[in-house]
Amino acid sequence: MTIPVKPKHTLQRVTLEMSLKPFKSMAPEAIEDVCTEAIRQWLPLIGMAESCSMLLWVADGSEILVWDGDLQREIEWARYIGFANEEYFGHIKDDKDPRIAQPYISETARITYGDLQFIIASFKKIAAERYGIRIEVGATFDAGPEFAYSDFKYKLHPEINRAEVGGQFISLKADYTVVCGWSKLKEDNVAYATYPDGIPEGTAFGQFLGRQCASFLPALGFDYIWFSNGFALSYFPWTYLGANYDGTQLAMADYEELSTKMLSFWELFKQECPEYRTEIRGTNYGTGMDLAKDCIPLLDLYERNYIEFPPPNSPWGALNYDFGLELTGYMSRIAVLPGQTYPYRFYANDPWFWQNPWWDLYDREPHDIYCPLTVARVNAEGELESPGIVEILTIDTEKGELNQDVPMEVIPHIKKAFKDAPDQPGILIWLYPFREMHEAMAESGEHSSDAFFNDWFVRNAINQGLPLNTVLSTDDFFAMHDDAIQKLQDTILFTSAFWIKGEKAQRIIEYIRRGGKIIFYGTVDDPALRKLLNLRSEDELDGSFSVNLSLSEDTITSDQHQGGKGVHLLEISSHISGGGLKEVVDDAADPFTQVHATVKQDGLERTFTLTRALPEWDGGRIGWVRGALPFQTAGVTHLPVRQEKELMDSSVIVRYLLHEFGYSFYQTKSEVDAHPALMFITRRDNAFILTGCKQDTSVTLQLRFPDGAPLIIGQSALIGEGTATYALDRTFHDECRVFVNQKQLSRILSREHQPFPTSKKRTVRNISVYNLIEADVTIYPPLAQLQAGVVEVKNGEHYLELSGKIVGGRVLLTNISGTIDISW
């Protein structure tokens, strides 16, 4: 058989995740048929990558714990729909609850370790022989109770589900528990592959699991292992609370003790199982969130080479539409890399429960493809890096179906998203203090509030429509030379201020004075940075405030809200907001300082938002939003609970403040608490690509860029002075290469047109723009075509002379009326 020649690849790897449910028979030919079909359906995606892997969800990892070397022994595997070990779930009240695990078919297959070994070998054989693909197969370990029944976890060794910190066992809920990485096992006399005489008293769980993996993985044919749902990081992976935060108090734990306990698992595991790659799913949260709640030292995990890839984006966005949390967590983990690349994970199906997200949660809308894949990291050379790995959770359903409609519908969107991956910075970059937050937490528990606020404020801002989807670590920023810094000239950095001190503050200040643009958020402690912002400190205040906001805001069409525009109420809890409010303008007479928001409490005033720009800064500009988190105390919950809708979420001010930097991104909503549209902006081949989603499809967007109102190809907009309104789709991923400024209002249409040849060239692309009235038009063609001189603009029947009108990768035209055809 001739092995096909592989094309140039976009990706390093594609990982397909799968349970054993499609294997309804252990007959060899039946197993091979399933393996063949699983690979066949996803070949168009696999073909984008250099390599492929199959991550097998066998059970919950207990098949590793009880491994005794006997291939004929039957496995307890995840053959259910619903919650296994139901007594550990408080929402299941009795044994008649329909959510309790039930077999997915009436007669499930009896599977032995030998059968599993044959399945793994079959995947590798069929991939190589039929498709010319080398495939790895990964094992999985999950710390929770839901996937499969486990006598080891809950009858023989329940002690591994308890976490000791500070000399006592900690918990948030009495029912749901997970395996604790630093737990110790009690003695038993059961024979295991690596403990034939039983487990000795006090054996560290990391040592036991590592030693069992070192036997289990090669014996079965696995190539690596995946730790699921926060295992080996947090004892509280599902909640924003943790050992260091109970919802009312932060800094409850000792950072050194808690972080050392977590790392002790990894040290022992890697000592026992050094030859196998370990990949992690991570928690549902971000780096700063995890530092604040559980003292998770991700930096140590990276620098000690315990893992090769950071955790991917969490699949939780599919379940609760919290894409701000998904993207914030994603960017915070990839700001620094432990290796060369990072993964993106798409939640297509669920083999354990009732939801199959592509059908049941996404409604076949690709927003959880396009939005996370706008994310990129900026490296020290100023270049953008997109994910090099795509993971599909999972390719089978809870009924064991391999539904080929899913890959047929999903893969084109993934291909499109990678084709449009950003190649230069967008308008906003999160400058992320990955190292500084770890150092601050190690220095003092008081910085738990700073780490908490650093991430949660950004999560809220993204959910409020802030177009933030690019991240740059402080390590890479401070390593940049002048040519790399120059690549940031058209973007705005966005960063918290708490970490900016001393020499780093001087570097930041120098960046601004040389023309850089930065928006800061949070408390400002460094004297030099306070001076730059024209701020000084007074006594801290928290509690209730009135807010006077002078920036333009979103339009709320309900009548009752119109009278309160510009005046808001704010409730601040200093322990989660990086302290209380203390900043005031130092020199009120400074003509270069513009105050956009102040807050008042009992006659005392604090500055909340300002911008400042001096002429000698060469175009540099700074903004600052103090910000606060609108969370109320709510007991044990997965996510923070929002304050009453009458209280302001101040993170929206960051989006409003972009107006002072030349960008207007406003929304019209029916109610003040209607879900805002999410929007992200990337640059690809000199184009602007607008990507986002609308949970409330009645929301409209009002946009304006420094070059004017954007013309989205294939759409029309009423454009005159001010912003233009856009009624975009529920999921949108649209290209813009033309911006318009004109005084007289007209309905302007931009559309793709047939690429007529011209006397100058064989045209590749033609974009037509209709109904311009004495307009200034800015065009962003591909740079290669612009430099080659093949870009032409036809106004009516006449080609315009472009010499002298090409400036900085743009074509600038003035006083244009009627129709133009832009071709290259």
Side-chain angles (χ1 to χ4, degrees):
M1 177 178 179
T2 302
I3 296 176
V5 177
K6 285 193 173 185
K8 183 179 179 181
H9 300 296
T10 305
L11 298 169
Q12 177 178 314
R13 191 184 83 192
V14 164
T15 297
L16 306 176
E17 305 184 34
M18 179 178 171
S19 78
L20 298 185
K21 285 183 175 179
F23 297 100
K24 297 179 173 65
S25 167
M26 290 299 104
E29 62 276 11
I31 289 174
E32 291 183 349
D33 286 346
V34 171
C35 294
T36 301
E37 180 64 9
I39 297 171
R40 183 198 66 79
Q41 289 186 2
W42 292 88
L43 280 175
L45 183 62
I46 295 170
M48 294 172 59
E50 296 173 4
S51 65
C52 177
S53 66
M54 183 66 68
L55 187 63
L56 282 184
W57 291 95
V58 176
D60 65 346
S62 292
E63 70 277 13
I64 303 172
L65 301 178
V66 300
W67 164 246
D68 61 2
D70 181 5
L71 291 173
Q72 301 308 310
R73 180 176 172 181
E74 186 174 347
I75 298 171
E76 167 61 21
W77 60 282
R79 59 183 187 268
Y80 309 99
I81 302 174
F83 292 90
N85 305 291
E86 56 272 13
E87 63 271 22
Y88 294 95
F89 295 93
H91 64 275
I92 295 178
K93 303 302 183 183
D94 58 60
D95 59 6
K96 295 182 176 59
D97 194 307
R99 293 168 293 182
I100 293 174
Q102 299 291 330
Y104 78 111
I105 55 176
S106 57
E107 293 187 19
T108 61
R110 174 184 176 273
I111 302 178
T112 67
Y113 283 105
D115 294 325
L116 178 58
Q117 184 187 59
F118 184 80
I119 290 170
I120 294 167
S122 296
F123 269 122
K124 295 182 178 183
K125 173 186 172 185
I126 289 164
E129 293 183 357
R130 298 198 185 187
Y131 299 114
I133 298 167
R134 178 186 174 273
I135 193 170
E136 291 185 312
V137 180
T140 52
F141 185 89
D142 187 89
E146 56 264 38
F147 291 166
Y149 289 97
S150 173
D151 286 348
F152 186 96
K153 286 182 182 178
Y154 302 108
K155 294 180 180 179
L156 186 59
H157 288 287
E159 70 275 7
I160 65 174
N161 297 286
R162 304 182 71 191
E164 179 272 322
V165 177
Q168 60 184 10
F169 291 108
I170 57 173
S171 67
L172 289 171
K173 298 176 73 173
D175 50 0
Y176 186 88
T177 61
V178 298
V179 174
C180 175
W182 64 85
S183 61
K184 296 186 183 300
L185 290 147
K186 292 182 178 178
E187 179 183 16
D188 72 17
N189 58 5
V190 178
Y192 304 92
T194 58
Y195 290 84
D197 298 323
I199 301 171
E201 178 70 26
T203 299
F205 183 76
Q207 181 186 63
F208 175 75
L209 180 61
R211 194 171 294 183
Q212 285 288 98
C213 282
S215 170
F216 174 82
L217 297 177
L220 277 293
F222 285 109
D223 299 286
Y224 67 100
I225 188 167
W226 166 277
F227 290 160
S228 174
N229 290 332
F231 173 67
L233 296 178
S234 170
Y235 185 62
F236 305 103
W238 293 104
T239 171
Y240 81 110
L241 310 174
N244 197 47
Y245 179 49
D246 65 357
T248 61
Q249 181 183 353
L250 268 164
M252 298 172 60
D254 179 78
Y255 177 84
E256 183 177 1
E257 179 195 9
L258 192 53
S259 62
T260 298
K261 283 181 178 293
M262 192 278 277
L263 289 170
S264 69
F265 165 85
W266 286 94
E267 184 176 1
L268 291 169
F269 180 84
K270 285 298 183 180
Q271 283 177 1
E272 298 294 339
C273 189
E275 303 300 325
Y276 285 85
R277 185 175 75 248
T278 306
E279 300 183 15
I280 60 174
R281 189 303 220 168
T283 70
N284 292 322
Y285 304 99
T287 302
M289 299 169 180
D290 280 340
L291 276 167
K293 81 185 195 75
D294 274 321
C295 302
I296 298 174
L298 205 57
L299 179 63
D300 294 84
L301 209 62
Y302 288 7
E303 292 188 334
R304 297 185 188 188
N305 298 315
Y306 289 151
I307 57 175
E308 187 175 333
F309 310 113
N313 52 307
S314 165
W316 234 26
L319 300 175
N320 56 26
Y321 228 94
D322 199 332
F323 294 110
L325 179 57
E326 179 182 348
L327 267 66
T328 298
Y330 195 24
M331 287 189 284
S332 76
R333 293 161 166 179
I334 66 171
V336 170
L337 297 182
Q340 299 301 312
T341 191
Y342 61 96
Y344 157 74
R345 197 176 189 215
F346 181 64
Y347 192 5
N349 294 298
D350 190 312
W352 306 285
F353 296 102
W354 311 271
Q355 70 268 4
N356 290 289
W358 181 245
W359 308 103
D360 306 323
L361 300 175
Y362 298 130
D363 298 323
R364 298 162 73 187
E365 289 276 340
H367 45 265
D368 207 19
I369 296 172
Y370 288 118
C371 291
L373 285 176
T374 65
V375 168
R377 67 181 305 274
V378 183
N379 61 28
E381 287 71 46
E383 299 168 342
L384 270 70
E385 297 177 353
S386 292
I389 298 170
V390 168
E391 301 169 335
I392 305 296
L393 169 70
T394 56
I395 64 171
D396 62 318
T397 73
E398 83 283 10
K399 297 176 182 177
E401 303 160 322
L402 293 172
N403 187 337
Q404 67 177 352
D405 288 344
V406 174
M408 289 176 67
E409 295 183 16
V410 165
I411 292 172
H413 292 299
I414 295 175
K415 283 191 168 186
K416 172 68 171 168
F418 274 97
K419 181 182 178 182
D420 294 340
D423 58 10
Q424 67 183 92
I427 67 169
L428 204 59
I429 293 177
W430 193 13
L431 180 60
Y432 194 80
F434 194 93
R435 185 174 303 277
E436 289 82 357
M437 273 198 300
H438 284 82
E439 292 172 347
M441 286 290 295
E443 176 187 294
S444 171
E446 294 180 1
H447 289 297
S448 299
S449 181
D450 296 319
F452 189 92
F453 183 68
N454 186 86
D455 285 19
W456 280 108
F457 184 74
V458 173
R459 172 265 200 168
N460 281 18
I462 292 174
N463 278 343
Q464 288 284 354
L466 185 70
L468 178 65
N469 50 285
T470 310
V471 67
L472 167 64
S473 74
T474 50
D475 283 5
D476 285 333
F477 177 73
F478 290 125
M480 283 181 164
H481 296 297
D482 287 348
D483 57 343
I485 288 287
Q486 186 65 23
K487 296 176 184 177
L488 305 179
Q489 65 176 346
D490 294 328
T491 195
I492 306 162
L493 299 184
F494 178 54
T495 191
S496 59
F498 86 91
W499 63 271
I500 303 175
K501 299 174 183 176
E503 192 268 337
K504 290 179 179 178
Q506 295 303 320
R507 297 277 298 275
I508 291 285
I509 291 168
E510 179 64 18
Y511 174 79
I512 294 164
R513 287 176 172 163
R514 293 175 60 185
K517 302 175 184 67
I518 302 183
I519 296 175
F520 302 98
Y521 64 94
T523 189
V524 184
D525 288 325
D526 183 79
L529 186 59
R530 278 205 300 262
K531 182 177 180 181
L532 192 78
L533 284 161
N534 188 21
L535 291 172
R536 72 172 189 273
S537 288
E538 298 284 356
D539 293 337
E540 289 193 6
L541 304 175
D542 66 0
S544 300
F545 296 85
S546 62
V547 183
N548 185 6
L549 180 65
S550 61
L551 294 167
S552 296
E553 303 180 51
D554 290 341
T555 299
I556 310 299
T557 57
S558 57
D559 292 337
Q560 68 263 23
H561 186 72
Q562 297 305 304
K565 198 168 183 67
V567 179
H568 302 273
L569 299 177
L570 193 68
E571 184 74 30
I572 294 177
S573 298
S574 59
H575 77 285
I576 59 172
S577 294
L581 305 189
K582 62 183 181 181
E583 290 85 3
V584 297
V585 168
D586 187 33
D587 179 7
D590 176 49
F592 306 112
T593 302
Q594 291 182 286
V595 176
H596 304 288
T598 57
V599 298
K600 284 188 177 180
Q601 179 189 82
D602 299 329
L604 298 175
E605 184 175 271
R606 296 291 182 264
T607 304
F608 203 74
T609 304
L610 60 76
T611 53
R612 193 164 189 252
L614 272 63
E616 59 265 30
W617 288 356
D618 193 26
R621 177 177 291 268
I622 51 177
W624 172 72
V625 178
R626 172 54 181 87
L629 293 177
F631 301 156
Q632 60 177 289
T633 302
V636 179
T637 62
H638 286 160
L639 289 171
V641 176
R642 172 77 159 87
Q643 294 169 346
E644 295 82 359
K645 66 179 181 180
E646 291 78 16
L647 297 172
M648 184 183 197
D649 179 353
S650 61
S651 68
V652 73
I653 296 177
V654 182
R655 172 160 58 83
Y656 298 158
L657 194 65
L658 289 176
H659 177 79
E660 302 302 308
F661 291 78
Y663 297 93
S664 297
F665 297 125
Y666 300 112
Q667 304 189 17
T668 296
K669 304 184 292 184
S670 60
E671 303 286 344
V672 67
D673 58 342
H675 292 287
L678 304 187
M679 187 175 71
F680 309 100
I681 297 168
T682 52
R683 303 293 309 279
R684 174 72 183 191
D685 197 20
N686 208 31
F688 292 76
I689 298 177
L690 282 62
T691 301
C693 62
K694 298 195 295 184
Q695 190 172 358
D696 182 341
T697 55
S698 69
V699 173
T700 61
L701 301 174
Q702 291 75 48
L703 308 177
R704 192 172 188 85
F705 286 60
D707 292 315
L711 291 184
I712 296 171
I713 296 174
Q715 299 198 30
S716 59
L718 284 171
I719 296 178
E721 293 187 303
T723 60
T725 297
Y726 303 82
L728 301 176
D729 294 335
R730 178 178 171 187
T731 301
F732 55 93
H733 180 72
D734 297 308
E735 181 186 14
C736 168
R737 290 187 179 271
V738 182
F739 296 86
V740 171
N741 270 315
Q742 66 177 38
K743 292 184 178 180
Q744 189 169 333
L745 187 68
S746 67
R747 180 176 287 104
I748 300 177
L749 168 65
S750 171
R751 58 163 295 190
E752 197 86 31
H753 213 153
Q754 52 188 311
F756 288 111
T758 73
S759 59
K760 192 174 183 178
K761 66 183 183 301
R762 287 287 176 180
T763 301
V764 173
R765 196 167 180 200
N766 185 7
I767 299 169
S768 298
V769 178
Y770 303 88
N771 300 327
L772 298 166
I773 302 176
E774 298 177 353
D776 294 338
V777 180
T778 303
I779 305 167
Y780 284 83
L783 292 177
Q785 280 70 24
L786 192 62
Q787 293 164 2
V790 298
V791 175
E792 295 179 280
V793 180
K794 186 179 180 183
N795 185 196
E797 297 302 317
H798 304 284
Y799 285 95
L800 302 178
E801 177 56 54
L802 300 186
S803 60
K805 297 179 180 178
I806 299 174
V807 180
R810 301 170 294 169
V811 178
L812 306 179
L813 305 176
T814 58
N815 197 29
I816 303 296
S817 294
T819 298
I820 59 173
D821 296 295
I822 307 159
S823 64
W824 55 83

